[in-house]
């Protein structure tokens, strides 16, 4: 696997690969890699014959300096995982490379997509995400960009970015990879205490139950039952919303949208745990 820290070196390499006819699949990450990240790489490899992963803990998307500082950075291990997965290139830049002095942040109207759910709890977070993804896309210029359903709102916002600017890249959603007990894999899970880790399994239980109930109950009942269950398990819920999977607007009934997704974030041991489930999808 090639490891590049400098944009110029990465781009010279990728240009030569493009001339060989390679199609490039790109998986941006913040490292502390787990099977969720690696599943995205597998999708990239199925659809392309050259794969690039990036590891960059983007400071502009962290409102909380403590969260940025505590973010795990096991880089040697990450490199081994990518090598074992036959990733072709790792882009591993410093912040000064991604954001040089003359850097102009990408600002587009997000149509309110960034205001609800995560956006309401992390002001400025999605502006940072849009800024870094746009910058990385300009640098790597991939054919496919693979991102996880795990960060559902982030995915919707990047879809909006690509459509608004008509960027020449195909966005692909990778399904959520879960631990055997249902907890969505996350780089932050290692910060949970033993007891917190056990309680965290109730998040996916609530979502999977909501998926079952969505077949027979109305939206409000499904939502109330999920919230009641999570409260009975003493979970500190930041939000639990059932939204239009495209616009992220709150819904009153399942019939209102072609894609309906339940999104939640729960706080345990000071760690924000995001999860979601698609309750209905009439677009696929
Ligand atoms: P992060 O390193 O947290 O920025 O995540 C990098 C990418 O991996 C994002 O597109 C995430 O949505 C995706 N991702 C994170 N956790 C999972 C998971 N459990 N399953 C699948 N994809 C994931």
């Amino acid at each position: 696997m090639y490891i590049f820290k400098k944009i110029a070196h990465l781009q010279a390499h990728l240009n030569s690969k493009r001339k060989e006819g390679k199609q490039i699949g790109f998986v941006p990450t913040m490292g502390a890699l787990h099977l969720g990240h690696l599943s995205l790489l597998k999708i990239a490899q199925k659809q392309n014959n050259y794969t690039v992963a990036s590891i960059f803990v983007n400071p502009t998307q962290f409102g909380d300096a403590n969260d940025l500082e505590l973010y795990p950075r096991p880089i040697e291990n990450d490199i081994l995982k990518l090598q074992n997965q036959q990733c072709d290139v790792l882009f591993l830049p410093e912040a000064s490379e991604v954001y040089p002095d003359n850097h102009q942040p990408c600002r587009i109207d997000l149509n309110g997509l960034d205001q609800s759910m995560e956006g309401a709890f992390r002001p400025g977070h999605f502006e940072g995400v849009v800024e870094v993804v746009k910058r990385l896309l300009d640098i790597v210029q991939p054919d496919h960009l693979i991102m996880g359903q795990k960060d559902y709102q982030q995915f919707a916002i990047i879809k909006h970015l690509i459509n608004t600017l008509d960027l020449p890249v195909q966005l692909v959603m990778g399904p959520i990879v879960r631990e055997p007990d249902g907890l969505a894999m996350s780089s932050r899970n290692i910060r949970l205490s033993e007891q917190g880790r056990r309680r965290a399994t109730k998040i996916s239980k609530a979502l999977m139950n909501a998926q079952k109930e969505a077949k027979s109950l109305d939206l409000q009942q499904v939502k109330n039952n999920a919230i009641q269950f999570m409260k009975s398990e003493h979970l500190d819920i930041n939000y639990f919303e059932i939204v239009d999977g495209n616009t992220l607007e709150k819904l009153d009934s399942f019939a209102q949208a072609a894609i309906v997704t339940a999104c939640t974030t729960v706080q345990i041991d000071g760690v924000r745990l995001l999860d979601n489930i698609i309750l209905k999808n009439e677009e696929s």
Side-chain angles (χ1 to χ4, degrees):
M1 181 174 74
Y2 295 92
I3 302 178
F4 296 105
K5 295 191 165 207
K6 298 289 175 198
I7 295 168
H9 298 161
L10 172 78
Q11 288 186 328
H13 178 78
L14 293 180
N15 283 340
S16 74
K17 291 294 163 190
R18 270 188 211 97
K19 282 195 191 117
E20 289 173 18
K22 299 284 192 201
Q23 271 222 329
I24 296 170
F26 177 44
V27 179
T29 82
M30 297 202 299
L33 301 179
H34 50 65
L35 294 175
H37 296 113
L38 299 180
S39 75
L40 302 185
L41 203 60
K42 283 186 197 157
I43 295 172
Q45 287 166 332
K46 264 199 199 132
Q47 298 177 337
N48 302 271
N49 47 13
Y50 212 66
T51 47
V52 179
S54 64
I55 296 181
F56 177 59
V57 184
N58 175 36
T60 71
Q61 71 187 69
F62 284 82
D64 179 354
N66 198 38
D67 193 27
L68 173 62
E69 176 147 341
L70 287 177
Y71 206 84
R73 292 168 173 85
I75 189 63
E76 297 303 327
N77 244 327
D78 284 349
I79 290 173
L80 283 177
K81 286 179 184 168
L82 291 172
Q83 280 169 336
N84 287 340
Q85 191 63 51
Q86 272 94 43
C87 179
D88 295 302
V89 170
L90 168 61
F91 181 46
L92 186 62
E94 299 287 339
S96 56
E97 188 73 4
V98 179
Y99 302 126
D101 289 341
N102 61 357
H103 167 71
Q104 295 288 333
C106 167
R107 295 264 183 266
I108 60 161
D109 184 357
L110 294 175
N111 274 355
L113 287 168
D114 61 329
Q115 296 303 307
S116 60
M117 302 195 287
E118 283 308 288
F121 283 84
R122 302 181 71 185
H125 167 67
F126 287 118
E127 282 172 14
V129 169
V130 165
E131 179 178 20
V132 76
V133 173
K134 172 68 168 59
R135 179 81 176 118
L136 290 170
L137 286 175
D138 287 345
I139 293 169
V140 178
Q141 296 171 35
D143 297 281
H144 290 99
L145 169 66
I146 299 91
M147 299 186 77
Q149 179 195 330
K150 164 80 182 356
D151 298 278
Y152 196 90
Q153 191 170 11
Q154 167 173 282
F155 188 93
I157 288 172
I158 297 306
K159 189 169 164 187
H160 174 77
L161 165 77
I162 290 171
N163 289 340
T164 304
L165 301 183
D166 202 13
L167 301 178
V169 62
Q170 214 173 315
L171 179 64
V172 179
M173 180 186 272
I176 302 174
V177 176
R178 299 179 178 281
E179 300 287 354
D181 61 12
L183 177 65
M185 289 192 183
S186 163
S187 307
R188 291 186 171 91
N189 289 351
I190 53 166
R191 282 164 52 193
L192 294 172
S193 66
E194 212 174 295
Q195 196 226 11
R197 173 68 187 75
R198 273 199 302 275
R199 280 170 58 224
T201 60
K202 307 298 180 191
I203 305 167
S204 59
K205 281 226 164 64
L207 288 170
M208 284 169 197
N209 195 43
Q211 194 180 44
K212 272 190 214 132
E213 290 187 351
K215 294 190 179 95
S216 54
L217 301 183
D218 69 31
L219 186 147
Q220 209 51 50
Q221 284 172 312
V222 170
K223 181 174 171 178
N224 290 346
N225 287 350
I227 292 175
Q228 224 169 42
F229 169 74
M230 288 160 89
K231 283 191 175 156
S232 74
E233 297 291 343
H234 307 290
L235 295 181
D236 176 4
I237 307 168
N238 280 177
Y239 61 84
F240 182 101
E241 299 294 355
I242 298 182
V243 298
D244 180 319
N246 287 313
T247 66
L248 304 184
E249 277 163 20
K250 286 182 206 174
L251 297 173
D252 297 319
S253 80
F254 290 118
Q256 273 177 309
I259 305 181
V260 179
T261 308
C263 299
T264 188
T265 286
V266 163
Q267 199 150 338
I268 299 180
D269 299 333
V271 183
R272 302 188 70 246
L273 299 170
L274 284 68
D275 204 346
N276 67 80
I277 203 157
I278 298 174
L279 300 178
K280 165 182 159 185
N281 186 353
E282 287 177 351
E283 275 186 12
S284 60

